[in-house]
């Protein structure tokens, strides 16, 4: 079965302003995010990509633009199932104020039970994304062969949930996974089990430097909902 390259979109204006974007329209890459996107073609130059699939949201489309310009032979497909979690009434709100919501404790400690008001549950988010991957695996293998490599550009919580699915981890453990903006995660699927080949690879160690107040954190030891802003 194929190898899936998961790319999280580059850093966005919502990431740097500490806002939970969700499906809010008009959320673009910031200056650093645009630079991350510009560097993506060189990072992926050695990979024989067969297909490219993206979330419909602007920040993902902008992330892929340099890659598609560098490799015009690639076909771009849009799949809403790998779009961001529908955060409902939480969309567009500051993460700093959301940390006081009782639901945030559930999101952090028991995400399989978390459903966003006016939105969807994290469980439903993982299900739709995993179903999309399995369908694309079958399509890519059918059209390009079992050794094909293809790419999906998506969002932090989506990618974390797909990694948990690949590792056989319960969704309640997915907040222990971290993927930075424009990071590359690779999963090789086989008939019996997936193998996680890369996780959140940016080639940049700046995010490992201790910071007094990690960007995107909602509280001490909490996972950044939506994925966080990455290195400063």
């Amino acid at each position: 079965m194929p190898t899936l390259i998961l790319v999280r979109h580059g850093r966005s204006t919502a990431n740097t302003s500490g806002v939970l974007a969700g499906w809010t329209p008009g959320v673009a890459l910031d200056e650093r995010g645009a630079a991350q996107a510009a560097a993506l073609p060189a990072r992926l130059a050695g990979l024989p990509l067969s297909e490219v699939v993206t979330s419909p949201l602007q920040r993902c489309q902008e992330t892929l633009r340099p890659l598609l310009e560098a490799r015009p032979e690639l076909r771009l497909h849009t799949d809403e199932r790998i779009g961001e979690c529908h955060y409902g009434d939480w969309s567009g709100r500051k993460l700093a104020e959301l940390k006081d919501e009782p639901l945030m404790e559930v999101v952090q400690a028991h995400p399989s039970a978390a459903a966003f008001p006016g939105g969807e549950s994290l469980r439903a988010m993982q299900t739709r994304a995993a179903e999309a991957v399995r369908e694309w695996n079958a399509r890519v293998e059918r059209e390009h062969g079992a050794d094909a490599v293809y790419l999906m550009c998506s969002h932090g919580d989506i990618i974390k949930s797909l990694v948990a699915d690949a590792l056989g981890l319960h969704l309640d453990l997915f907040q222990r996974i971290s993927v930075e903006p424009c990071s590359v995660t690779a999963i090789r699927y086989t008939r019996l089990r997936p193998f996680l080949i890369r996780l959140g690879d940016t080639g940049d160690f700046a995010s490992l430097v201790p910071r007094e107040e990690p960007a995107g954190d909602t509280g001490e030891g909490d996972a950044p909902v939506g994925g966080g802003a990455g290195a400063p």
Side-chain angles (χ1 to χ4, degrees), residues 19-41:
V19 169
L20 187 61
W23 285 70
T24 304
V27 176
L29 299 183
D30 68 5
E31 185 176 353
R32 180 179 175 87
Q36 290 170 333
L40 193 60

Side-chain angles (χ1 to χ4, degrees), residues 58-77:
Q58 178 180 338
R59 50 198 184 273
C60 288
Q61 305 273 350
E62 291 181 353
T63 298
L64 290 177
R65 191 169 297 149
L67 176 65
L68 296 171
E69 290 174 353
R71 300 169 73 168
E73 74 281 3
L74 289 175
R75 293 185 295 175
L76 180 65
H77 309 271

Side-chain angles (χ1 to χ4, degrees), residues 156-174:
D157 281 348
I158 293 284
I159 295 173
K160 287 162 55 179
S161 74
L162 289 171
V163 170
D165 175 75
L167 292 176
L169 293 178
H170 196 283
L171 184 61
D172 286 344
L173 300 178
F174 100 124

Side-chain angles (χ1 to χ4, degrees), residues 61-129:
Q61 305 273 350
E62 291 181 353
T63 298
L64 290 177
R65 191 169 297 149
L67 176 65
L68 296 171
E69 290 174 353
R71 300 169 73 168
E73 74 281 3
L74 289 175
R75 293 185 295 175
L76 180 65
H77 309 271
T78 300
D79 194 325
E80 290 197 359
R81 294 174 297 177
I82 62 167
E84 181 64 284
C85 183
H86 292 277
Y87 296 115
D89 297 344
W90 280 27
S91 298
R93 293 180 61 187
K94 288 278 190 179
L95 288 165
E97 66 182 46
L98 288 171
K99 70 179 182 180
D100 296 323
E101 294 279 354
L103 178 60
M104 181 59 81
E105 186 176 12
V106 182
V107 170
Q108 293 293 327
H110 191 19
S112 65
F116 296 96
E120 70 179 334
S121 67
L122 286 170
R123 188 174 61 256
M125 176 202 74
Q126 183 188 44
T127 297
R128 63 173 163 86

Side-chain angles (χ1 to χ4, degrees), residues 157-201:
D157 281 348
I158 293 284
I159 295 173
K160 287 162 55 179
S161 74
L162 289 171
V163 170
D165 175 75
L167 292 176
L169 293 178
H170 196 283
L171 184 61
D172 286 344
L173 300 178
F174 100 124
Q175 297 290 27
R176 303 184 184 194
I177 299 165
S178 177
V179 290
E180 292 194 10
C182 222
S183 63
V184 172
T185 294
I187 302 172
R188 181 169 296 143
Y189 289 86
T190 73
R191 186 174 65 86
L192 296 180
R193 65 183 62 86
F195 293 90
L196 180 64
I197 308 300
R198 293 286 188 278
L199 175 60
D201 188 344

Side-chain angles (χ1 to χ4, degrees), residues 32 180 200-211 230-232:
R32 180 179 175 87
E180 292 194 10
D201 188 344
T202 64
D204 182 357
F205 297 110
S207 64
L208 301 181
V209 177
R211 285 175 281 170

